[in-house]
Amino acid sequence: DRQTDRQTDRQTDPRMHTHTDAQTMSHAPVHDIQGHRVRAEGSGAHVRDRPEMQQKARCGQAHWHETAKMMRLAWQERWDTDPVFRRRDFQEQIDVCSRLQIKSQHECILRVLQISLSDGLLVALPFSLSSSDSFLGWTGFQVSHDRAAEFRERIHSLFPETPQENTVHTAFRRTGLVPDKWPAAWRGATPFKFKASVRQSYTDYTRISDAK
């Protein structure tokens, strides 16, 4: 009968299994050629039936997308007007960021670190060309003690509203740049250092659709 035919079609038509296959594949991590985890097909399933979370995520993506555009303008202005800012390593880090289509939030953090280094708000640890032991070339940095409040305000200004401490800490954990003690690091008493294990456990350090 017709009901039996429809059931048979559902079992034999491969299109009817696409969603199930995607769900199965989503449990396995996928990485790009640089070894960074990429978002698997079917990720985000936990918010599909929660429109308020979907809207919050869209607003967050839109904010970081717009903030990244403003940061690019500020960065380019510095590049055009400040010869000291025209560092080869800065440009190489931006090139990697563009090539990998890094998240807008991570691009903002990278650019604010570069500008802050040029402004004397922090001291960078040695840069690295390896993607496995650095965040886009940054192995770590230490905030300048006498400019600590200014640097922290600069980081806070990236967010749409004054962020909670854990929100800021999570953003840095996603880059892998973390200190042993947060309060001491913000004061400039101890450095932020790259830890690959932290990045891997906290992040989708990834190609995503809202990056550019």
Side-chain angles (χ1 to χ4, degrees):
D1 58 24
R2 293 182 179 178
Q3 184 175 359
T4 302
D5 290 342
R6 285 197 298 269
Q7 291 174 341
T8 302
D9 290 343
R10 183 177 296 274
Q11 292 171 352
T12 58
D13 188 345
R15 293 174 298 177
M16 306 305 293
H17 295 277
T18 301
H19 181 65
T20 302
D21 292 344
Q23 285 181 318
T24 301
M25 291 173 63
S26 69
H27 294 293
V30 182
H31 297 79
D32 63 17
I33 59 174
Q34 297 292 327
H36 302 317
R37 185 178 300 178
V38 295
R39 189 179 297 274
E41 185 69 25
S43 65
H46 64 293
V47 301
R48 285 176 184 158
D49 297 326
R50 303 184 63 180
E52 72 283 359
M53 290 185 65
Q54 293 178 345
Q55 181 60 34
K56 184 176 181 180
R58 285 193 293 268
C59 288
Q61 290 174 357
H63 165 77
W64 288 107
H65 181 76
E66 291 302 313
T67 302
K69 290 198 294 186
M70 291 189 293
M71 288 297 301
R72 290 170 203 154
L73 291 175
W75 190 95
Q76 190 62 52
E77 182 178 359
R78 288 293 295 271
W79 186 270
D80 292 341
T81 60
D82 184 357
V84 178
F85 189 75
R86 298 185 199 130
R87 298 175 51 147
R88 180 178 178 180
D89 42 24
F90 280 6
Q91 186 60 63
E92 289 174 342
Q93 292 165 6
I94 294 297
D95 289 345
V96 171
C97 182
S98 299
R99 186 172 69 252
L100 296 181
Q101 296 184 325
I102 294 301
K103 274 186 173 183
S104 295
Q105 185 186 80
H106 292 157
E107 179 186 348
C108 292
I109 292 176
L110 171 64
R111 291 183 186 271
V112 82
L113 288 177
Q114 291 181 342
I115 293 173
S116 296
L117 175 60
S118 183
D119 289 343
L121 273 63
L122 56 84
V123 176
L125 299 185
F127 290 140
S128 172
L129 297 177
S130 172
S131 62
S132 63
D133 65 4
S134 71
F135 166 66
L136 298 171
W138 285 71
T139 63
F141 65 91
Q142 187 157 347
V143 179
S144 298
H145 178 74
D146 58 346
R147 308 288 295 278
E150 187 178 351
F151 175 72
R152 194 166 187 176
E153 177 59 32
R154 189 171 288 188
I155 294 297
H156 284 190
S157 70
L158 295 175
F159 294 82
E161 56 189 23
T162 302
Q164 296 181 353
E165 288 300 303
N166 189 57
T167 300
V168 179
H169 296 174
T170 297
F172 273 91
R173 289 182 182 115
R174 287 173 176 160
T175 70
L177 292 171
V178 294
D180 292 331
K181 299 291 184 180
W182 289 100
W186 290 120
R187 294 195 308 269
T190 190
F192 290 72
K193 291 185 178 180
F194 180 80
K195 296 181 181 179
S197 60
V198 173
R199 185 187 70 182
Q200 291 168 0
S201 63
Y202 267 87
T203 189
D204 294 59
Y205 183 70
T206 68
R207 302 172 184 272
I208 63 169
S209 59
D210 77 320
K212 299 289 183 291

